[in-house]
Amino acid sequence: MLNDFINQFWPATIDGLAFGSIYALIALGYTMVYGVLRLINFAHSEVFMIGTFGAMFVPFVLGINSALTGIALVGVIIAMILAGMLASAGTAIALEQIAYRPLRKRGASRLAALISAIGASIFLQELFALLVIPEVFNRPQQGRIQMGLPRLMERTELFSIFGHSVRVDQVLVIVAAIGMMIALDALVNRTKIGRGIRATAQNPEAAVLMGVDINKIVRMTFLIGGGMAGVAGALYLISYENTNYYIGFLFGIKAFTAAVLGGIGNLRGALVGGVMLGLVENYGAIFFGSDWKHVISFTILVLVLMFRPTGILGESLQQARA
């Protein structure tokens, strides 16, 4: 077993970093909404799911059915990421307007918002299973099966580490995710919108007195978090070439685990938690088999909630400083 771990260490590490990057991007949506509203947005998993379909719409419309190269490939990848961001961000804003804002205006409890989130999640799953997939993608009676994407880029080796190849799609996922996280960190810490987000997270009443438009800040928070989930959806689709109407369930729970592991409400904690979860999952699969991946993830969630509920970094968004 130890020999298996040694032999598979580098492939498992690269795969873990790629999956962990996707978890981290999704986790950013959970952590931002929690930091501002103290709300766990469980419908965020479906925001990711819709991002995968938004990205899939691009090659579907363009009629792409074979691998691309050069400028054409770059253009399609950028278009898929933008489409995923647009679909997910639009969904996140709609959720805020329809499922959460009316409850906030009435001063409803957090339990009511949580129930609303679960209801919205189920609604979006069934909507895509019954209506969107059959109608938009011309797959009648097939909304509940996995949908594949034609290979857009060849899985060529970019470089190797100790004799183990690192593919171009894996590097794309990791680099793109890191770039988006750096951009988000800069936005939250160095811009006017970011100051508004941090002020609202720290003290909403004082933020209002200082002229901060709370509704605008909440809307921007959902927009940014949704956009990150859309990027994650596009990167997942490009790399793993499949999606379905319930794909958000497991990814959403694992991204929530990553957010809790790193420190819920902490942007950098989402990155740390996502990467750590991806690595631990893959390392655990070497010892116990791939069927145990989900068990490992949920075990980590339970253990963190039991022994360190504040997460690894612990600091929340409301405590961040300019």
Side-chain angles (χ1 to χ4, degrees), residues 7-133:
N7 292 332
Q8 299 179 46
F9 176 79
W10 285 111
T13 299
I14 299 302
D15 283 338
L17 289 174
F19 262 109
S21 298
I22 293 172
Y23 295 155
L25 284 173
I26 305 171
L28 289 170
Y30 285 110
T31 207
M32 288 191 69
V33 171
Y34 181 83
V36 172
L37 295 178
R38 285 295 181 267
L39 166 69
I40 302 298
N41 177 22
F42 280 118
H44 189 63
S45 56
E46 271 44 73
V47 173
F48 164 75
M49 177 269 291
I50 291 172
T52 64
F53 282 107
M56 178 175 278
F57 190 69
V58 173
F60 176 80
V61 169
L62 296 177
I64 298 172
N65 52 25
S66 61
L68 303 174
T69 58
I71 297 177
L73 175 61
V74 174
V76 169
I77 289 175
I78 293 174
M80 290 178 67
I81 290 175
L82 292 176
M85 291 180 69
L86 182 62
S88 291
T91 302
I93 291 177
L95 281 171
E96 194 276 325
Q97 294 278 353
I98 298 171
Y100 302 132
R101 182 168 296 189
L103 297 177
R104 286 195 296 114
K105 287 183 176 180
R106 294 187 178 92
S109 66
R110 292 176 186 170
L111 178 59
L114 180 62
I115 294 171
S116 180
I118 294 172
S121 175
I122 296 172
F123 167 78
L124 289 172
Q125 279 191 14
E126 293 303 312
L127 176 67
F128 270 71
L130 297 176
L131 298 177
V132 176
I133 299 173

Side-chain angles (χ1 to χ4, degrees), residues 216-237:
K216 178 182 177 182
I217 291 300
V218 171
R219 188 163 55 248
M220 287 300 300
T221 300
F222 275 85
L223 174 70
I224 295 168
M228 291 294 162
V231 174
L235 293 176
Y236 171 82
L237 189 67

